[in-house]
Every structure is written in structure tokens, then in C-alpha cells.
Amino acid sequence: MPHLDPFIVPEFHLPFENSKDPGADRANTEATAWAVDRGLIEVEASEQFAGIGFGHLAARVDRGAPYGRLLLLAQWMAWSFVLDDQHDLLIRSGRVGDWQPLSAAMARHVSGAPADPAPAKAADPAPAKAAGDPARANPLVASFAELCDRILAGMSPLIQARYRRHVPRMLRSLDEEAANRRPGHRPAVEEYVLTRRHSSQLLPMMDMVEADQGVEVPDGADAAPELRELLWSAVDVISWGNDVFSLPKEYSCGDTNNLAALLADWHGLGLPDAVRAVEGRIRDRVEEFLAVSRSLPTALDALGVTDPAARTAVRRRVRCYEEWMIGTDLWQRHDCTRYRDERFAAGLEAAYTRPDLVSVA
């Protein structure tokens, strides 16, 4: 990887408006307390964990939701940061194989399959370890199951089905990112972009926001290629912007799952130029988003989507995407200390990270 020259985080081209729900501080405090109570983080470092600002992010993208649902989103976001940090710790400590039992248990739970299938009868003890109570009892899995049940209870069947699809795909994407970090491996930029769309963990959270906001896009409209392109534009913009904010940490620990780092490596750029290249890609993606947004009415006409309620739901979904793009950017700039933390920027584990969490049963 190239030398880590100083760079400035650009003001990305995001011509959207955003305001924050007044429940932000309360949700942040209560989600932190929840994470401590569930054993996900070290209590001594709860203040540092609260500095991530997941309650503020939830308040920027789910403004006006009932407070209980806003808090639930903040708790899911808090859990997702623990998940991300724990997975990174397993990769760096050479224990990524320990992730599989947890991932399998979570995928089974969200699918509605039996949580604890009978252990395999093979002589090799590994299958028995991967199936059954040890993974299910782990705090990371137990808290996931708790959140998942509460989330699904507040969703219509239509959105439930999408959430049940998106969570396992998100979990698989973490395996893809782990594979990208094999010694000497350098993923292609476009390969990385496709993985990042899911490892960002955005799709399940977007499902949650749509449920909270009463946005229910029927399958006929949801299948519109234009609407799918708007989704990927929004997810790319958010993910690539986050790659810039998180670049010092990922660079310092040799993580190749970062668009700026990959552009620098593949094209022989210094990191400041690579960051500017990411900025240009974000500008292009936002312009594509705006152009496709303008074409949506015609696209819906062509699909025969004439129901006023369906078309209103589509417009509200597009607005949610806009709030996700600008809200995430503002959160990283103003509400979040994660990417400014000296330990994080140096590639070290955060002080709140429990090194034994995955092994706790």
C-alpha cells in the first residue's frame, strides 16, 4: 500500500437536506446502556463507545419515528459496530474460523429455522461446535436474536421478507471481506464495490427505516430497475464516503477493503489523489441518482404502476435514500468520534472491544 500521506476529507457533493430527531441523545445513551447490559462492550469504555453516535445516526435517518423504534434502530446500529469490530479482530488474530458458528446461528435465526439443530455425529468435533448451544449462547448472537425478533415484530410481511433476505447476505459479505484480506490478495475495484454494498450493513437498516416510516413499496414497483439503481447509488455514496473517513484505520492495519486504498494501489496514486478520485466517483454517483430520480415517474408508468399509494411510497423511499446519504455524512463529521479516535486511526482495537467476546458461551 502507498505511504499514508496526510489528506483532507472533502466536502462531498450531497445536495440534500437533513435534520435530526430530538430523541438522538436519549437513544444514544440508552443504546449504550443496552450494549453494556448485554455484555457486548467493556463497561469501563462505555463513554468511548457512546462516542460512535449511533443514536445520532439513527435520529438523522429515522426522524419522526416512534421513540421505541428509533431506539431499536440505534441498538441495532450499536450491535453492528460491535459485529464489525469483532470480525476485524478475528481476522487480525487469525481466528476468522471462529466466526462461522456465529454467522450460521444468526442466519438460521433470521430465516425462522430451528435455532439449535442436532449436533453432527461425525468424529470431527468441529461440526458439533458449529451447531448448537455454544454459538447460540454467545452475547453477540443472543443480542442479535433479541433485536431481530423485535425488529420483525414491527414490520409488515412484505418488509419482513426483504429483511430476512438482506441479513444473511450481509453476513456472507463479511466472509468475502475476510477473503479479500488474504496475504498478497488485492480485490478488483468493481469486485470490492459489489461486496461493499452488503458489508456496509445498510440494507437491513434501510428496511427498518422504511418500516418505521410506513413506507411500503409493493413488489411490482420494487422490481423497477430504476428503483434498484437508486438503491445502489445511495449505498455506494454512503459506503465510499465512509471509506474516506475510515481510511487511516484501515490503511494502518493493511485492510484492502477500502475504495481509496484500492484506487491508490491499482492506479499508482498517492492517497490524497486517491481520496480525490473517490470524491469524483461520489459526485458522479449523486448526479446519476438525481437523473434516475427524475425519470422514475416515466419508469413507473411503463411498469403499469398507477396506484397512487404505490407511487407515493416510491417517492418516500427516494427521500429516505437522500436522508441516508446526507445524514450519514453529517453524522461522521459532527456526531461521531470513531474515525477521529487515536487508537482507531492507529489500527488498534477500540478500548471497548472485548477480545474474548466470540469465545464467551
Side-chain angles (χ1 to χ4, degrees), residues 81-361:
F81 281 108
V82 174
L83 174 71
D84 187 66
D85 289 340
Q86 286 293 324
H87 191 258
D88 182 65
L89 176 62
L90 292 175
I91 293 172
R92 291 202 274 176
S93 60
R95 297 167 50 212
V96 72
D98 293 347
W99 159 249
Q100 298 306 320
L102 278 66
S103 178
M106 289 186 280
R108 283 196 302 270
H109 187 88
V110 74
S111 72
D116 298 312
K121 295 182 180 180
D124 183 352
K129 178 183 178 183
D133 289 338
R136 176 71 174 161
N138 183 275
L140 196 63
V141 179
S143 56
F144 166 84
E146 173 200 337
L147 292 174
C148 185
D149 291 347
R150 291 164 55 201
I151 289 165
L152 288 167
M155 289 176 165
S156 69
L158 184 69
I159 301 179
Q160 282 182 359
R162 293 170 187 165
Y163 176 84
R164 290 185 192 275
R165 291 196 304 269
H166 289 153
V167 171
R169 181 64 185 89
M170 178 267 287
L171 294 171
R172 291 197 305 274
S173 72
L174 299 182
D175 295 328
E176 295 167 9
E177 288 207 335
N180 285 345
R181 293 172 68 173
R182 299 190 308 273
H185 182 71
R186 178 178 62 171
V189 171
E190 294 312 313
E191 172 192 353
Y192 164 72
V193 167
L194 295 177
T195 292
R196 185 72 164 102
R197 289 176 174 178
H198 299 281
S199 66
S200 67
Q201 305 189 45
L202 285 166
L203 298 190
M205 289 188 269
M206 287 178 166
D207 294 332
M208 293 177 67
V209 169
E210 290 193 11
D212 293 350
Q213 298 292 326
V215 176
E216 186 153 335
V217 177
D219 284 338
D222 185 64
E226 291 81 1
L227 200 52
R228 183 63 39 171
E229 184 59 27
L230 287 173
L231 167 65
W232 296 137
S233 291
V235 170
D236 288 347
V237 165
I238 296 165
S239 301
W240 301 346
N242 178 257
D243 281 358
V244 172
F245 281 98
S246 62
L247 178 57
K249 191 261 190 183
E250 287 157 4
Y251 175 89
S252 66
C253 65
D255 187 354
T256 57
N257 292 293
N258 184 289
L259 181 59
L262 283 174
L263 290 175
D265 201 18
W266 279 106
H267 299 292
L269 302 175
L271 286 182
D273 287 336
V275 167
R276 283 190 286 271
V278 173
E279 180 186 11
R281 285 184 173 228
I282 288 175
R283 173 174 288 277
D284 291 345
R285 211 67 173 107
V286 169
E287 288 301 317
E288 291 167 3
F289 179 93
L290 294 171
V292 174
S293 296
R294 291 190 292 268
S295 73
L296 258 185
T298 301
L300 294 176
D301 289 341
L303 285 172
V305 180
T306 58
D307 178 48
R311 294 175 77 103
T312 297
V314 168
R315 288 195 296 272
R316 293 182 64 193
R317 173 184 280 185
V318 174
R319 176 58 187 148
C320 285
Y321 291 161
E322 293 173 355
E323 292 191 338
W324 270 104
M325 286 186 282
I326 186 62
T328 304
D329 183 78
L330 293 173
W331 160 71
Q332 289 173 131
R333 294 180 190 277
H334 304 298
D335 305 322
C336 176
T337 62
R338 178 177 174 86
Y339 307 111
R340 298 190 296 272
D341 181 87
E342 290 183 0
R343 287 178 59 90
F344 190 84
L348 302 172
E349 302 303 330
Y352 56 77
T353 300
R354 290 186 58 185
D356 63 335
L357 181 61
V358 168
S359 62
V360 172

Side-chain angles (χ1 to χ4, degrees), residues 27-93:
N28 205 66
T29 298
E30 294 184 5
T32 301
W34 173 86
V36 171
D37 184 69
R38 299 309 188 269
L40 295 175
I41 64 168
E42 300 287 2
V43 62
E44 297 82 3
S46 58
E47 183 177 351
Q48 185 202 46
F49 185 67
I52 296 173
F54 26 78
H56 294 270
L57 177 56
R60 287 192 180 278
V61 300
D62 205 9
R63 179 171 50 89
Y67 178 74
R69 301 301 294 183
L70 180 70
L71 175 59
L72 182 56
L73 178 60
Q75 290 169 332
W76 175 267
M77 289 175 168
W79 175 86
S80 74
F81 281 108
V82 174
L83 174 71
D84 187 66
D85 289 340
Q86 286 293 324
H87 191 258
D88 182 65
L89 176 62
L90 292 175
I91 293 172
R92 291 202 274 176
S93 60

